[in-house]
């Protein structure tokens, strides 16, 4: 079975649904709501059956900051532990323990609003869940697996991205440099065929490579995470597989899509160019050795994609 072709067809279905939603609602605010609704509908038909798509605010009894409630979030995928559910498109209040992941959907994403979106993401990701498993003790978030028992992933998905996708990566890296925190976990730029995934630790289900390592704080400790950039003609496939990767509790089973998605990725991944550098290879390697991958990449992106 050609899973690559299947995912390309499914992505085209979503693209057509989103295009129809945008055409039917020409007013900007209404258009954004229509896109959110279309994506919630699509997700509910394709995510694991144990998950439900909704929208609203998320609350927590614990937080890394003085805020214990998120702002309004476009997409909230809740699990079996969520006690309060209303109709899919009616805003609800969710307990962080009953949230699988959350994210924002942009009909159009420009560089000027990325920083604001990252701040919103960080407010959500500061909410800390309690371990609800009575069978598996998880004392602290000290690995990729245990991290997501306490923190829930957050994504930013854009139907149309204005400007270069590298400027989005640059904004993410500048946020990490300034705040010392990882603002979100995944960025999916559908029209650019680009996916940017962030991992709190270097161990990472979607890659055996280090990616772009960065330092940030987890539970008061400085740890090394990684940024991974994928150029693929099926970003939706990676999005669905990524959603199914996480488990907020050790009660939950692993979803089988991960066993099949590697075939899709192997066929779809293309070479990614972060920025052009005309310096000799020896000079570039020297720069990497002196500054480190993160700072050297950040400097290269700033030079190639300056703010106007």
């Amino acid at each position: 079975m050609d899973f690559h072709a299947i995912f390309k067809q499914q992505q085209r279905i979503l693209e057509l649904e989103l295009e129809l939603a945008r055409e039917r609602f020409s007013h900007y605010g209404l258009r954004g709501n229509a896109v959110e609704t279309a994506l919630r509908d699509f997700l509910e038909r394709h995510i694991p059956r144990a998950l439900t798509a909704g929208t609203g605010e998320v609350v927590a009894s614990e937080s890394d900051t003085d805020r214990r409630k998120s702002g309004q979030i476009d997409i909230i995928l809740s699990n079996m532990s969520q006690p309060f559910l209303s109709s899919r498109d009616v805003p609800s209040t969710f307990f962080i323990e009953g949230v699988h992941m959350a994210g924002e959907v942009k009909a159009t994403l420009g560089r000027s609003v990325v920083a604001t979106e990252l701040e919103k993401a960080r407010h959500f990701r500061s909410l800390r869940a309690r371990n609800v498993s009575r069978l598996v003790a998880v004392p602290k978030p000290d690995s990729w697996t245990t991290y997501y028992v306490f923190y829930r992933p957050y994504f930013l998905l854009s139907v149309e991205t204005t400007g270069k996708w590298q400027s989005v990566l640059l904004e993410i890296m500048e946020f990490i440099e300034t705040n010392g925190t990882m603002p979100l976990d995944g960025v999916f730029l559908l029209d650019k065929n680009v996916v940017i995934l962030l991992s709190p630790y270097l161990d990472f289900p979607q890659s055996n490579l280090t990616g772009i390592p960065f330092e940030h704080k987890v539970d008061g400790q400085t740890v090394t995470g990684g940024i991974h950039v994928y150029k693929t003609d099926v970003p939706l496939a990676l999005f669905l597989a990524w959603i199914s990767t996480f488990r907020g509790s050790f009660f939950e089973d692993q979803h089988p899509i991960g066993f099949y998605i590697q075939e899709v990725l192997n066929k779809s991944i293309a070479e990614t160019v972060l920025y052009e550098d005309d310096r000799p290879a020896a000079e570039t390697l020297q720069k990497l050795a002196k500054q480190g991958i993160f700072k050297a990449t950040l400097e290269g992106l700033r030079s190639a994609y300056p703010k106007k």
Side-chain angles (χ1 to χ4, degrees):
M1 184 176 292
D2 189 347
F3 289 105
H4 180 257
I6 290 174
F7 273 110
K8 286 193 73 172
Q9 292 167 1
Q10 290 293 337
Q11 177 156 322
R12 184 56 185 154
I13 291 172
L14 176 60
E15 290 170 349
L16 290 172
E17 290 176 351
L18 296 177
E19 185 177 334
L20 177 61
R22 287 187 292 173
E23 289 296 326
R24 289 178 62 189
F25 299 92
S26 58
H27 183 273
Y28 187 79
L30 293 177
R31 187 181 67 177
N33 291 337
V35 169
E36 296 163 22
T37 301
L39 184 61
R40 281 193 290 270
D41 179 68
F42 180 86
L43 287 175
E44 197 150 73
R45 287 186 278 114
H46 293 87
I47 56 178
R49 298 282 74 83
L51 301 178
T52 302
T55 183
E57 294 182 327
V58 179
V59 298
S61 61
E62 298 181 354
S63 176
D64 292 342
T65 67
D66 58 356
R67 298 178 55 142
R68 294 195 298 170
K69 183 171 71 172
S70 74
Q72 178 77 16
I73 299 176
D74 291 342
I75 306 289
I76 298 175
L77 301 183
S78 58
N79 57 36
M80 300 292 287
S81 298
Q82 191 58 242
F84 305 121
L85 287 177
S86 62
S87 300
R88 186 191 65 201
D89 300 317
V90 175
S92 305
T93 298
F94 298 80
F95 291 159
I96 187 66
E97 287 80 9
V99 171
H100 181 75
M101 69 167 50
E104 195 77 1
V105 181
K106 306 298 290 184
T108 303
L109 178 67
R111 181 176 183 177
S112 61
V113 302
V114 173
T116 301
E117 293 299 329
L118 295 179
E119 285 289 348
K120 181 176 182 179
R122 184 55 193 165
H123 290 324
F124 168 82
R125 295 192 78 266
S126 67
L127 303 179
R128 186 174 174 119
R130 296 172 183 264
N131 177 29
V132 298
S133 174
R134 293 170 295 178
L135 302 177
V136 180
V138 186
K140 57 183 179 179
D142 56 0
S143 68
W144 191 93
T145 303
T146 58
Y147 179 90
Y148 289 104
V149 170
F150 297 94
Y151 300 98
R152 298 296 187 260
Y154 188 98
F155 65 86
L156 177 61
L157 185 146
S158 170
V159 178
E160 180 181 349
T161 306
T162 61
K164 300 289 187 179
W165 68 262
Q166 289 91 339
S167 64
V168 177
L169 173 62
L170 174 55
E171 292 291 332
I172 294 171
M173 294 180 68
E174 289 189 328
F175 185 98
I176 293 172
E177 182 187 51
T178 300
N179 298 279
T181 57
M182 185 176 117
L184 80 181
D185 305 81
V187 179
F188 299 84
L189 309 175
L190 298 187
D191 64 321
K192 301 293 186 181
N193 285 338
V194 168
V195 174
I196 304 170
L197 299 183
L198 290 82
S199 172
Y201 291 92
L202 291 180
D203 61 314
F204 183 55
Q206 273 79 28
S207 178
N208 294 324
L209 303 176
T210 301
I212 304 172
F214 63 90
E215 290 188 347
H216 65 128
K217 293 284 188 179
V218 174
D219 211 24
Q221 303 294 317
T222 300
V223 301
T224 302
I227 301 173
H228 301 260
V229 181
Y230 300 91
K231 185 78 171 177
T232 170
D233 62 350
V234 284
L236 180 62
L238 189 50
F239 181 52
L240 293 175
W242 183 77
I243 289 174
S244 303
T245 300
F246 299 93
R247 292 190 299 168
S249 166
F250 285 96
F251 283 139
E252 300 173 27
D253 293 328
Q254 182 178 357
H255 194 271
I257 193 173
F259 303 145
Y260 301 93
I261 202 65
Q262 194 60 50
E263 175 186 337
V264 178
L265 298 180
N266 289 342
K267 287 187 176 182
S268 70
I269 296 298
E271 184 178 353
T272 304
V273 178
L274 299 184
Y275 59 89
E276 299 288 345
D277 191 340
D278 57 3
R279 286 177 294 190
E283 186 177 338
T284 300
L285 291 173
Q286 186 178 17
K287 177 184 175 182
L288 289 172
K290 182 179 180 180
Q291 295 183 316
I293 297 175
F294 184 87
K295 288 190 177 297
T297 303
L298 184 56
E299 181 182 293
L301 288 171
R302 282 172 174 161
S303 177
Y305 307 102
K307 289 185 178 180
K308 297 179 180 179

